[in-house]
Amino acid sequence: VLSGSTAIYTLKFENDSPATDDLVITGSGDGSNFTIQYLDDTATDRTAAVTGAGYTISSLAAGASKVWTLNVTPSGNPTPVVGGTSYDVTVTATSSNDGTKTDQVQGTTTSTSANISLAKNVDKPNANPGEDLTYITTGTNAASLTGASSIEVTDQIPANTGFKVGTATFNPITSTLTSVITYSDDNGTSWTYTPASTGCSAPAGYDYCLTDVKWTMTGNMPTGTNFSVEMIVIIK
């Protein structure tokens, strides 16, 4: 399932003995950023009992059964489970009449999600005051997982530099995305600032007031594709 969505399993507990019996149900709980929930045949949440000492289905007649629901949810935003991560949930039913009589099932849920990696590069290893530096950040969505959407990239203006007005750009490359660029002069608290030449006593064509640049993208980024964002700053 996609991270943030729920895998739904059906659990059927059946008394196959010749006499009425109580079945004690135990099972795995939350783990590895997967959330586990057990709902009984009346949709009542029995998670705390099942993952604790056990929940007892009382007086189940011979041949009778109860159908429960098991929900397994890999976490989504803001910290989605990494695509390809799996989590095993084991559920056991034990006879109260005879504790040696048990049955067990296991379900494996695997999260699929976008897996975007960012690589940031600068065009020169050293620079003197008054020289420009060009920063290019490339985003790649790894192959074999899911498409990515609702992508934002935020970059701070490096210390002791100033932004060159008009140089924040977006290149979709193979991603099929589009982007809107916004700016902040208060370290990302708000995004309504417009860069201006000589801002905060910067040289002509530069703005020392700007603190952050944000690229907000729309569309779906297929697996195995990439994009890049770019900005130029001057060494103070």
Side-chain angles (χ1 to χ4, degrees):
V1 295
L2 187 66
S3 57
S5 61
T6 300
I8 302 173
Y9 297 87
T10 298
L11 300 172
K12 182 179 181 180
F13 300 109
E14 183 173 286
N15 177 14
D16 289 334
S17 74
T20 297
D21 199 357
D22 297 341
L23 299 182
V24 180
I25 311 303
T26 56
S28 306
D30 298 349
S32 301
N33 292 319
F34 284 73
T35 301
I36 312 304
Q37 182 186 47
Y38 297 87
L39 303 178
D40 71 9
D41 54 301
T42 67
T44 301
D45 192 331
R46 304 296 185 187
T47 306
V50 171
T51 60
Y55 178 82
T56 300
I57 300 176
S58 300
S59 303
L60 195 61
S65 62
K66 298 285 187 179
V67 175
W68 286 26
T69 300
L70 166 63
N71 294 323
V72 182
T73 308
S75 65
N77 290 328
T79 53
V81 173
V82 174
T85 303
S86 295
Y87 188 64
D88 295 333
V89 175
T90 301
V91 185
T92 304
T94 303
S95 166
S96 290
N97 290 343
D98 182 352
T100 66
K101 305 299 184 184
T102 66
D103 196 12
Q104 187 177 81
V105 293
Q106 177 176 285
T108 300
T109 305
T110 302
S111 170
T112 61
S113 64
N115 185 15
I116 297 177
S117 60
L118 296 177
K120 186 175 182 179
N121 294 285
V122 66
D123 65 335
K124 55 177 70 82
N126 299 289
N128 296 314
E131 292 183 344
D132 285 347
L133 295 173
T134 299
Y135 286 95
I136 299 177
T137 300
T138 301
T140 302
N141 187 11
S144 303
L145 299 177
T146 66
S149 58
S150 302
I151 302 168
E152 285 185 354
V153 174
T154 303
D155 205 357
Q156 292 183 326
I157 303 302
N160 301 310
T161 70
F163 177 71
K164 187 173 184 178
V165 177
T167 63
T169 59
F170 172 74
N171 183 351
I173 311 180
T174 58
S175 70
T176 73
L177 298 170
T178 58
S179 178
V180 172
I181 303 172
T182 51
Y183 305 90
S184 174
D185 63 346
D186 54 13
N187 298 302
T189 300
S190 63
W191 294 95
T192 57
Y193 183 73
T194 300
S197 177
T198 70
C200 292
S201 301
Y206 297 88
D207 187 334
Y208 285 171
C209 299
L210 189 69
T211 60
D212 301 84
V213 182
K214 179 167 66 176
W215 293 262
T216 302
M217 302 168 208
T218 57
N220 186 271
M221 181 181 182
T223 60
T225 63
N226 52 19
F227 65 84
S228 68
V229 299
E230 179 177 327
M231 67 177 182
I232 298 175
V233 298
I234 189 173
I235 303 291
K236 292 182 179 179

